Amino acid sequence: MTTQHQSVQAAGGTTLPAGEPSQDSLPGGTAVEGRSPARMAWRRIRRDRITMIALVITLLFIAIALLAPALTALTGWGPITPDSKAINPDTGNQPYGSLGGISLKHLLGVEPGTGYDIFARIVYGLRTSLFVGFASAVLSTVVGVVAGLAAGYFGGWIDSALSRVMDVMLAFPQLLFIIALTPVIQNALQTNSHGGTDENLRLLVLVLNIAVFAWAYTARLVRGQVLSLREREFVDAARIMSAGRRHILFRQLLPNLWAPILISFALAVPQNISTEAALSYLGVGVIPPAPDWGALLSDASEFFLQDPMYLFIPGVLLLILVLALNLLGDGVRDALDPRANRS
């Protein structure tokens, strides 16, 4: 029998035609809209003033790195020769004036002895730091997610083998092994024409070395989450419907892991930037004259008494960048964790 008109009883006693969605409403008649987890997380982030400040600072640094050529070309900034007016031969090749030669032409001063504009080297060095930090975080996250999914879902000897590898990687003193391995790999990639390692290859070596020792943290986190999810009802339902392993892994389990994965990624970026700066400071990362903040700090330590601003400016900027990224990562973690205590 065909029914020409059907109705359903919505919340609050309102009668709606069949097939028309109903909305819950407050006593005043205001409709209550459902929110996705991403919208709720973004709402928590917007309410957190510290996280929003950290987000703005992070976006500002990224914009400066992307616009580095335009910023340095805006008024003719860039490398200058040691015998230009920025350097005073009568004072031991030190910059003219106080505060390391800070002026309208050289906003952050010039390097003692070389005459390079510090502003230009900082904005281009920011590109290096952000590239290494984000690229190594992406690579370590991808490897960690795949390893964690396989270990947690398949179990058995696969879980045992991958877990032992994770334990070994977590036991390594990361910085010491990167310091030992980086020169060896760079020497193997040494070019015959220039007698040195190509800068792009050097950056690639840094990214790979940092990611190799960082993926185990993400893998251990993902493995623990998968172990708790693989016995849930929606996974059993997928198995009953003859879903393949790929479907279960990437369509059922992975969408439920985006929160811890995003948190792990957000916290890995500032750690990787700090590692890259430390390696360059120790002379096994980016080597001058290529711009890099760690190398800039290493050179500046030799001129601290003569030109303290040369060390102070890049040091403070590195502190602000890493602090902003860490605060942003903490804010993302709190926003995605519904059990976090908030005032």
Side-chain angles (χ1 to χ4, degrees):
M1 181 176 62
T2 304
T3 304
Q4 296 182 351
H5 181 77
Q6 293 178 338
S7 62
V8 294
Q9 194 74 17
T14 303
T15 302
L16 298 174
E20 186 172 327
S22 62
Q23 288 184 326
D24 294 336
S25 59
L26 297 175
T30 304
V32 179
E33 297 181 0
R35 296 186 178 92
S36 65
R39 291 182 60 185
M40 290 188 293
W42 173 240
R43 184 181 182 186
R44 297 189 189 107
I45 290 175
R46 286 187 303 173
R47 291 181 174 180
D48 191 336
R49 182 176 300 177
I50 295 178
T51 303
M52 288 301 299
I53 293 175
L55 176 61
V56 171
I57 293 175
T58 301
L59 294 177
L60 178 61
F61 274 106
I62 294 175
I64 291 174
L66 294 176
L67 299 175
L71 292 176
T72 54
L74 188 61
T75 57
W77 297 327
I80 56 178
T81 59
D83 57 352
S84 66
K85 292 183 179 181
I87 296 297
N88 185 1
D90 298 331
T91 59
N93 284 337
Q94 298 303 312
Y96 277 125
S98 60
L99 302 178
I102 293 178
S103 63
L104 293 178
K105 183 178 180 181
H106 305 285
L107 295 182
L108 301 180
V110 295
E111 290 186 358
T114 63
Y116 286 116
D117 184 82
I118 295 179
F119 176 81
R121 293 184 64 78
I122 283 179
V123 294
Y124 276 99
L126 178 59
R127 279 185 157 191
T128 302
S129 298
L130 290 177
F131 171 77
V132 174
F134 278 94
S136 56
V138 169
L139 183 58
S140 63
T141 299
V142 171
V143 175
V145 167
V146 173
L149 279 173
Y153 180 76
F154 293 106
W157 68 269
I158 296 179
D159 184 22
S160 299
L162 289 175
S163 295
R164 298 297 77 77
V165 174
M166 296 178 202
D167 293 336
V168 171
M169 299 305 299
L170 292 173
F172 274 117
Q174 177 183 356
L175 189 59
L176 292 179
F177 273 85
I178 294 177
I179 293 174
L181 289 176
T182 300
V184 175
I185 300 176
Q186 289 175 353
N187 290 334
L189 297 174
Q190 187 174 12
T191 59
N192 297 326
S193 58
H194 299 86
T197 304
D198 182 78
E199 190 57 39
N200 292 330
L201 291 177
R202 191 181 298 277
L203 291 178
L204 178 61
V205 170
L206 280 176
V207 170
L208 292 177
N209 279 342
I210 294 175
V212 162
F213 290 94
W215 67 269
Y217 295 95
T218 303
R220 179 59 61 86
L221 176 64
V222 171
R223 173 186 176 273
Q225 295 292 323
V226 173
L227 287 175
S228 63
L229 289 174
R230 68 179 185 180
E231 304 300 332
R232 298 284 293 272
E233 291 82 0
F234 66 92
V235 178
D236 291 336
R239 292 196 189 101
I240 293 174
M241 297 177 66
S242 301
R245 291 176 176 177
R246 180 181 300 179
H247 175 86
I248 295 176
L249 285 172
F250 296 103
R251 295 295 184 89
Q252 301 296 329
L253 293 176
L254 188 58
N256 289 279
L257 298 171
W258 68 272
I261 292 173
L262 182 58
I263 293 171
S264 177
F265 175 83
L267 296 176
V269 172
Q271 181 180 356
N272 294 345
I273 291 177
S274 299
T275 301
E276 183 274 330
L279 292 173
S280 297
Y281 180 85
L282 296 172
V284 294
V286 178
I287 297 178
D292 179 78
W293 286 12
L296 197 63
L297 290 172
S298 179
D299 294 340
S301 62
E302 301 178 5
F303 299 94
F304 177 70
L305 296 179
Q306 296 88 349
D307 186 6
M309 297 302 294
Y310 185 25
L311 179 65
F312 178 78
I313 292 175
V316 170
L317 290 176
L318 180 61
L319 173 65
I320 293 174
L321 174 61
V322 175
L323 179 61
L325 287 169
N326 275 312
L327 292 176
L328 180 59
D330 290 339
V332 171
R333 178 186 59 194
D334 294 340
L336 295 176
D337 185 5
R339 295 169 297 181
N341 294 322
R342 301 179 182 84
S343 58

